[in-house]
Amino acid sequence: DNNDTTTSPSPPNPKKKIPIIAFSHGVLGNASIYSYQTMNLASHGSLVFLVNHTDGSAVLTTRHDHSHVYFRPKTPGRTPTEEVRRWRAMGTYRASELLA
């Protein structure tokens, strides 16, 4: 008498495309604080990559060599234009991390 009512998952379909999401945290964020949202995306069939950026936008990031990168706030005396350039450079750096 087998009362097992659980079902086995279907075997994977090698022809089915899986959506890929590259998730980039915001300023003062990191990958860990978005784990709920990204696990939810993964639970619906997406492959999700999270990155802890080393551009100074997170409160703290630990590199593979165990060194740390701390948040770099706005530099006093910079003009708004200089700050926009800084943030654009950070965006370019983040893109390179995602593509590495």
Side-chain angles (χ1 to χ4, degrees):
D1 185 24
N2 185 354
N3 292 328
D4 184 11
T5 58
T6 61
T7 58
S8 300
S10 315
N13 179 350
K15 294 181 181 181
K16 182 180 177 186
K17 293 184 179 183
I18 299 173
I20 299 173
I21 298 171
F23 191 92
S24 174
H25 66 75
V27 174
L28 292 174
N30 62 36
S32 297
I33 65 172
Y34 292 101
S35 61
Y36 178 81
Q37 290 88 347
T38 53
M39 284 192 298
N40 184 291
L41 292 167
S43 74
H44 291 281
S46 296
L47 177 62
V48 183
F49 292 93
L50 288 95
V51 175
N52 278 317
H53 295 292
T54 58
D55 62 356
S57 62
V59 173
L60 171 69
T61 302
T62 304
R63 293 185 176 122
H64 291 289
D65 66 1
H66 303 289
S67 64
H68 299 289
V69 178
Y70 296 93
F71 177 67
R72 288 182 291 207
K74 179 180 175 183
T75 305
R78 279 193 175 169
T79 66
T81 301
E82 290 170 323
E83 280 300 302
V84 168
R85 286 186 184 128
R86 175 181 175 235
W87 289 104
R88 284 185 181 161
M90 289 173 87
T92 301
Y93 182 84
R94 286 169 162 232
S96 71
E97 287 181 315
L98 290 170
L99 296 172

